């Protein structure tokens, strides 16, 4: 990207939505209309080519997006960096990392289903990173398409101040085009691929409706713009530039969502969406990005999208390809040229940038330099996801993104010894690329354990090890990440004493443990209430370390303990025999003593489940959920489909997809995401504790 690019003409946007809302199809059309590709391929295309943005074979086979794909294009003089993100909850970190570096987003809804469970998650992520968005109601050609209900769901379910800026001409198989309510003109999309945009007068039969919605739009954005607000109150006409400016202000305030509609599959309405991206979404200078100054107690620094300022670039995604590691970078400030030496501000390593490319899905276009506001990729820069780079003039780091905890684990091993090297390479590559994919070795069973966000998440990685690294793997049964916690306060007073001739060991600790509030941000808290030097200050950290060690493994079923506050308020030491080890041991044993009396319970991950199936199967679907200890929260119908929302324990959900398909003649679908941890029923806990004791007795 040339250094002469006007910052106001850059848009960094993401497309995100619930699975199967048509994000990748929409991205494909955007690339076609901006002349980046010259033919359109469908996600589950008959031609066997698949969408450009789904570059992995697995993505093409399953017809889903697994990795966020980055590309760039030009539209009417604007440079648009576009990231198509996955909709499946198991790949939620791909959405997190993309929204972390984007300035604006397009939230895609299906015109039939409206706001679905994953739309709610994506919306929460957009709010977390303060990303302004436009909503595009897609699939207007489908039977049951209803954009008015979609908009109402945005208001009711997501609390958006949502207003139409376009209005549909027809729906379902009679969907012809859209009216732009800003210009009050009708637009039709002719030609084989909808590439010829035809402008007409608004059809007479919908003119009154369009006027009503335009009036509503002006009233809504008048709250954010004085000129438009005054004109509305005085009954004067608002000009097109004035209305556009007001919609832009309202959208950037994060308190307003413009709503558009169309059909990406039928090539209708996409060009108007591109126009709206340039009119209403922010350029890099309009977003506030904060970095922390490591040389000044992590003081907050507001970054300027200025090419002459010290470099600040965030590595937000890694991809180990056949040419080595490719590091995706968002440049927030400054400029970086090919051949420059840059510094990793997290570990102080310096690296030379041998090659800078702009990505077009899996193709690469070489560039000489990258400037503030751009998204590019570097070759030969080894780092971890979330590292910040600078040019050595200032040591600034960006705050890292939110990474959810893993909820499911599998034991995994290469099928034969010869595959061990490739197996290790694969795991190294995936842990670098994906912060939610974790690997550890279980010392007791000497197994390699992989953990992730769900069954599909781990299944995809096992498949990738086989394909990309030519290594067959053997997979154990899925393990759920249980936790233990306490429900009441309990005291401890433990003395650790060891005399065996010569120097002994001595340390006494006393205090209590209690549950942390349920909304606490941490899982463990240590409170030092020691007065009068009964435990010398230099031994206090050893006590803390001992407690931290004790919570690694609970006494009920051997899983980590969470939600505990430990307070020490008394103790004793010996001038000669006391040392750090004595107090660490005393803390571990003291914690265990209190834990027995603290009403310990086992916690299990609860999932939010949304199941859709034809109405005639509603009874059997609900029956299945009840059998799996599920609690039904909500059920409704939409266009002949029953939609059931429930809370279910993850333990009970293995094999659910097979059961659901057989109960609904293959027509049922579901999405599931982690919701919270909650206590398992007493009878289930007793069974689990018994099994754990038996296993220990054998071991």
């Amino acid at each position: 990207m040339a250094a002469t690019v006007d910052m106001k003409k850059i848009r960094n946007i993401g497309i995100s939505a619930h699975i199967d809302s048509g994000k990748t199809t929409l991205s494909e059309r955007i690339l076609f209309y901006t002349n980046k590709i010259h033919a359109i391929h469908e996600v589950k295309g008959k031609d066997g080519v698949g969408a450009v943005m789904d570059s992995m074979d697995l993505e093409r086979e399953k017809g889903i997006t697994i990795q966020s794909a980055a590309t760039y294009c030009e539209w009417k003089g604007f440079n648009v960096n576009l990231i198509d993100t996955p909709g499946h909850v198991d790949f939620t970190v791909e959405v997190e990392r993309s929204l972390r570096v984007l300035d604006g987003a397009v939230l895609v809804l299906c015109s039939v289903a409206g706001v679905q469970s994953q739309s709610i998650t994506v919306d929460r992520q957009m709010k977390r990173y303060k990303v302004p968005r436009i909503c595009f109601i897609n699939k207007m050609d489908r039977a049951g398409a209803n954009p008015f209900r979609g908009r109402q769901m945005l208001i009711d379910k997501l609390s958006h101040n949502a207003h139409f800026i376009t209005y549909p001409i027809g729906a379902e198989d009679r969907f012809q085009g859209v009216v732009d309510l800003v210009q009050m003109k009708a637009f039709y999309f002719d030609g084989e691929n909808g590439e010829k945009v035809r402008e007409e007068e608004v059809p007479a039969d919908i003119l009154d409706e369009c006027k009503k919605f335009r009036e509503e739009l002006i009233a809504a954005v008048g709250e954010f713009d004085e000129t438009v607000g005054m004109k509305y109150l005085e009954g004067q006409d608002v000009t097109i530039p004035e209305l556009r400016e007001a919609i832009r202000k309202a959208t950037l305030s994060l308190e307003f969502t413009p709503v558009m509609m169309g059909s990406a599959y039928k090539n209708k309405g996409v060009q108007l969406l591109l126009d709206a991206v340039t009119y209403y979404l922010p350029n890099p200078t309009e977003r506030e990005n904060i970095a922390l100054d490591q040389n000044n107690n992590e003081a907050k620094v507001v970054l300027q999208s200025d090419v002459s300022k010290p470099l600040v670039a965030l590595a937000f995604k890694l991809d180990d390809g056949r040419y080595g590691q490719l590091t995706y970078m968002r440049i927030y400030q400054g400029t970086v040229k090919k051949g420059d030496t840059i510094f990793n501000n997290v570990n102080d390593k310096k690296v030379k940038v041998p090659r800078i490319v702009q990505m077009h899905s899996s193709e690469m276009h070489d560039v000489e330099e990258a400037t503030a506001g751009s998204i590019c990729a570097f070759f030969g820069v080894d780092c971890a996801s979330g590292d910040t780079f600078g040019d050595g003039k200032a040591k600034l780091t960006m705050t890292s993104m939110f990474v959810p905890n893993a909820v499911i684990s599998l034991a995994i091993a290469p099928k034969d010894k010869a595959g061990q090297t490739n197996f290790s390479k694969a795991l190294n590559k995936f842990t670098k690329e994906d912060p939610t994919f974790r690997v550890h070795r279980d010392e007791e069973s000497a197994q390699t354990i992989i953990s992730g966000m769900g069954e599909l998440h781990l299944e995809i990685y096992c498949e990738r090890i086989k394909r990309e690294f030519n290594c067959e793997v053997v997979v154990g049964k899925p393990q759920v990440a249980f936790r233990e916690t306490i429900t009441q306060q309990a005291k401890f007073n433990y003395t650790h004493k060891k005399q065996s001739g010569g120097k002994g060991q001595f340390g006494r600790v006393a205090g209590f443990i209690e549950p942390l509030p349920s909304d606490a941000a941490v899982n463990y808290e240590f409170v030092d209430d020691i007065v009068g030097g009964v435990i010398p200050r230099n031994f206090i950290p050893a006590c803390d370390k001992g407690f931290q060690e004790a919570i690694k493994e609970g006494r009920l079923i051997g899983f980590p303990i969470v939600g505990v506050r430990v307070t020490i308020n008394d103790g004793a030491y010996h001038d000669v025999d006391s040392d750090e080890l004595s107090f660490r041991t005393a803390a571990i044993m003291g914690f265990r003593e209190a834990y027995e009396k603290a009403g310990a319970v086992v916690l299990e991950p609860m999932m939010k489940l949304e199941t859709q199936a034809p109405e005639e199967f509603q009874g059997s679907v609900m029956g299945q959920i009840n059998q799996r200890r599920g609690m039904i929260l909500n059920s409704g119908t939409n266009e002949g489909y029953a939609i059931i929302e429930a809370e279910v324990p993850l333990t009970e959900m293995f094999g659910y997809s097979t059961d659901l398909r057989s109960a609904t003649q293959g027509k049922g679908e579901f999405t599931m995401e982690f919701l919270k941890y909650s206590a398992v029923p007493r009878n289930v806990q007793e069974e689990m504790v018994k099994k754990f004791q038996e296993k220990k007795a054998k071991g």
Side-chain angles (χ1 to χ4, degrees):
M1 191 179 283
T4 53
V5 171
D6 178 0
M7 203 70 73
K8 293 198 167 105
K9 296 271 175 147
I10 295 177
R11 295 289 180 274
N12 293 317
I13 63 159
I15 295 183
S16 29
H18 185 89
I19 192 164
D20 268 356
S21 300
K23 298 177 297 300
T24 302
T25 308
L26 179 60
S27 305
E28 207 72 0
R29 298 309 185 266
I30 288 174
L31 294 180
F32 179 74
Y33 297 131
T34 56
N35 297 319
K36 286 298 286 190
I37 56 174
H38 303 292
I40 288 173
H41 299 290
E42 300 314 332
V43 174
K44 297 183 183 177
K46 302 277 184 293
D47 56 8
V49 177
V52 169
M53 298 299 271
D54 284 351
S55 56
M56 278 168 68
D57 292 345
L58 263 175
E59 294 182 306
R60 291 174 180 184
E61 278 169 35
K62 291 186 180 280
I64 60 169
T65 303
I66 293 168
Q67 292 186 321
S68 46
T71 186
Y72 70 100
C73 52
E74 283 184 31
W75 180 252
K76 297 184 179 176
F78 284 82
N79 281 327
V80 181
N81 288 309
L82 176 77
I83 296 184
D84 167 29
T85 61
H88 206 287
V89 63
D90 285 15
F91 306 105
T92 188
V93 74
E94 288 286 329
V95 186
E96 282 289 340
R97 66 164 127 224
S98 304
L99 289 174
R100 172 73 188 79
V101 297
L102 292 170
D103 301 324
V106 177
L107 173 64
V108 183
L109 295 184
C110 166
S111 65
V112 182
V115 172
Q116 293 161 277
S117 62
Q118 198 55 28
S119 328
I120 298 170
T121 304
V122 168
D123 180 67
R124 196 168 60 235
Q125 291 170 322
M126 287 181 184
K127 283 178 178 153
R128 182 181 293 136
Y129 297 111
K130 297 186 169 58
V131 178
R133 81 288 301 232
I134 292 172
C135 176
F136 184 73
I137 298 179
N138 194 18
K139 301 195 176 185
M140 280 298 298
D141 56 299
R142 274 186 58 184
N146 183 345
F148 303 100
R149 200 183 73 249
R151 178 205 159 196
Q152 200 51 49
M153 287 171 90
L154 277 173
I155 295 166
D156 299 340
K157 281 194 161 187
L158 301 180
S159 313
H160 281 215
N161 176 10
H163 288 271
F164 285 138
I165 58 170
T166 61
Y167 186 90
I169 305 170
E172 303 181 345
D173 53 357
R174 293 189 304 285
F175 177 62
Q176 296 165 310
V178 291
V179 173
D180 180 346
L181 296 177
V182 177
Q183 303 175 64
M184 279 306 268
K185 289 276 188 247
F187 289 90
Y188 300 91
F189 305 87
D190 304 332
E192 196 185 330
N193 293 314
E195 65 276 14
K196 299 187 181 97
V197 181
R198 173 164 51 92
E199 187 182 309
E200 300 275 349
E201 290 306 311
V202 179
D205 59 332
I206 57 170
L207 185 58
D208 288 345
E209 276 291 287
C210 288
K211 280 182 175 165
K212 185 186 107 187
F213 276 103
R214 187 175 199 264
E215 194 75 6
E216 271 187 28
L217 173 66
I218 292 170
V221 296
E223 305 271 330
F224 301 90
D225 185 291
E226 230 170 275
T227 317
V228 171
M230 289 306 293
K231 282 195 167 184
Y232 173 71
L233 291 173
E234 289 163 11
Q236 294 177 25
D237 281 344
V238 176
T239 66
I240 293 172
E242 283 171 344
L243 185 49
R244 277 192 185 137
E245 185 50 35
I247 296 172
R248 181 178 179 77
K249 275 186 192 165
T251 308
L252 297 193
S253 75
L254 301 172
E255 311 232 326
F256 175 86
T257 306
V259 182
M260 308 180 76
M261 71 285 300
S263 164
Y265 184 57
K266 290 281 196 261
N267 312 311
K268 289 179 169 57
V270 179
Q271 295 94 324
L272 291 191
L273 175 65
L274 276 166
D275 286 341
V277 164
T278 64
Y279 289 137
Y280 309 127
L281 289 182
N283 66 52
T285 64
E286 290 169 310
R287 285 292 309 281
E288 185 179 78
N289 291 303
I290 305 280
L292 306 174
D293 189 346
Q294 295 304 323
N295 293 335
N296 183 13
N297 280 337
E298 299 207 338
K300 288 185 177 175
V301 178
V302 177
L303 299 177
Q304 315 282 320
S305 292
D306 184 335
V307 294
S308 58
K309 294 263 184 197
L311 175 72
V312 177
L314 179 73
F316 67 93
K317 176 174 159 56
L318 311 178
D319 198 351
D320 240 338
R322 54 179 182 273
Y323 307 114
Q325 183 174 303
L326 187 65
T327 306
Y328 285 81
M329 291 276 189
R330 162 74 199 259
I331 317 287
Y332 284 98
Q333 189 174 276
T335 303
V336 60
K337 290 186 170 71
K338 195 165 128 181
D340 279 1
T341 298
I342 58 174
F343 294 81
N344 185 330
N345 289 341
V346 177
N347 57 19
D348 292 329
K349 281 187 182 161
K350 63 177 184 183
V351 274
K352 196 170 181 182
V353 183
R355 186 178 171 199
I356 304 175
V357 292
Q358 277 209 290
M359 295 305 294
H360 170 39
S361 187
S362 57
E363 291 170 28
M364 289 162 230
H365 302 170
D366 277 274
V367 288
E368 287 304 309
E369 63 172 25
T371 56
S374 62
I375 289 176
C376 58
F378 293 178
F379 261 111
V381 174
D382 187 32
C383 65
S385 186
D387 285 359
T388 309
F389 285 85
D391 49 14
K393 292 177 190 159
K395 194 172 180 187
L396 301 172
T397 59
M398 302 294 294
T399 51
S400 61
M401 60 185 181
F402 170 79
V403 177
N405 287 325
V407 292
I408 183 169
S409 303
L410 287 175
I412 184 172
K415 208 166 194 175
D416 47 56
K417 288 273 186 286
Q420 188 66 48
T421 316
N422 278 2
F423 178 69
S424 303
K425 270 189 200 161
L427 295 184
N428 275 339
K429 171 186 166 169
F430 299 149
T431 44
K432 253 185 170 180
E433 281 178 18
D434 180 352
T436 58
F437 178 75
R438 297 170 180 130
V439 178
H440 74 274
R441 192 171 163 74
D442 181 2
E443 294 307 328
E444 265 183 49
S445 62
Q447 287 177 312
T448 301
I449 310 288
I450 57 172
S451 312
M453 303 306 297
E455 273 185 289
L456 179 70
H457 190 205
L458 299 183
E459 184 193 312
I460 293 282
Y461 278 118
C462 293
E463 191 62 32
R464 282 183 67 188
I465 294 173
K466 200 161 91 187
R467 291 185 186 202
E468 293 171 32
F469 290 85
N470 199 15
C471 170
E472 292 276 344
V473 291
V474 183
V475 176
K477 271 178 67 179
Q479 278 285 319
V480 173
F482 291 104
R483 294 286 178 265
E484 296 184 24
T485 191
I486 56 173
T487 53
Q488 63 205 46
Q489 194 188 79
K491 292 183 175 159
F492 59 86
N493 183 351
Y494 189 87
T495 307
H496 170 67
K497 214 195 258 177
K498 208 171 180 186
Q499 293 299 140
S500 54
K503 188 177 180 301
Q505 287 180 7
F506 181 87
R508 180 171 83 85
V509 290
F512 57 89
I513 63 174
E514 61 187 335
L516 276 168
S518 57
D519 57 353
V522 290
N523 274 323
Y524 161 80
E525 204 177 282
F526 174 68
V527 181
D528 168 16
D529 267 352
I530 293 293
V531 285
V534 289
I535 298 177
R537 300 252 48 86
N538 54 326
F539 293 142
I540 302 287
C543 298
D544 186 11
K545 271 188 197 142
F547 294 129
Q548 286 189 44
E549 200 154 306
I551 63 170
K552 280 183 188 166
E553 197 179 298
R555 312 288 286 163
L556 296 176
I557 57 166
F559 276 86
I561 301 165
V562 295
V564 179
R565 179 187 288 131
V566 183
T567 303
I568 54 169
N569 52 23
D570 197 8
Y573 72 101
H574 185 279
D575 284 335
V576 179
D577 291 352
S578 286
D579 57 9
E580 286 197 6
L581 180 64
S582 307
F583 278 100
R584 212 170 93 201
T585 311
I588 293 172
M589 302 313 287
F591 184 90
R592 286 179 184 170
E593 174 187 278
Y595 194 67
E596 303 290 334
K597 305 173 286 190
V601 292
V602 174
L603 299 176
E604 62 183 343
M606 296 297 286
M607 310 302 279
K608 186 168 95 182
L609 174 75
E610 186 179 285
T611 304
Q612 287 184 329
E615 277 183 65
E616 69 258 34
F617 302 116
Q618 186 167 359
S620 49
V621 170
M622 283 181 153
Q624 278 188 346
I625 293 171
N626 287 328
Q627 274 169 359
R628 291 170 182 266
R629 293 200 284 123
M631 188 170 81
I632 291 166
L633 305 175
N634 212 337
S635 68
T637 54
N638 174 18
E639 302 298 336
Y641 265 73
I643 298 161
I644 298 149
E645 289 173 26
E647 272 181 27
V648 288
L650 176 61
T651 342
E652 306 286 344
M653 290 310 284
F654 298 117
Y656 178 62
S657 54
T658 317
D659 289 1
L660 178 67
R661 281 191 200 113
S662 55
T664 59
Q665 294 169 12
K667 294 172 188 161
E669 290 180 350
F670 75 98
T671 57
M672 187 167 73
E673 64 179 300
F674 173 70
L675 181 66
K676 62 181 182 192
Y677 270 100
S678 64
V680 304
R682 181 144 302 278
N683 59 330
V684 178
Q685 176 167 319
E686 282 165 6
E687 190 60 36
M688 290 168 86
V689 172
K690 196 169 133 199
K691 272 189 189 158
F692 178 66
Q693 297 300 347
E694 283 169 10
K695 191 175 139 195
K696 261 176 67 174
K698 273 184 201 164

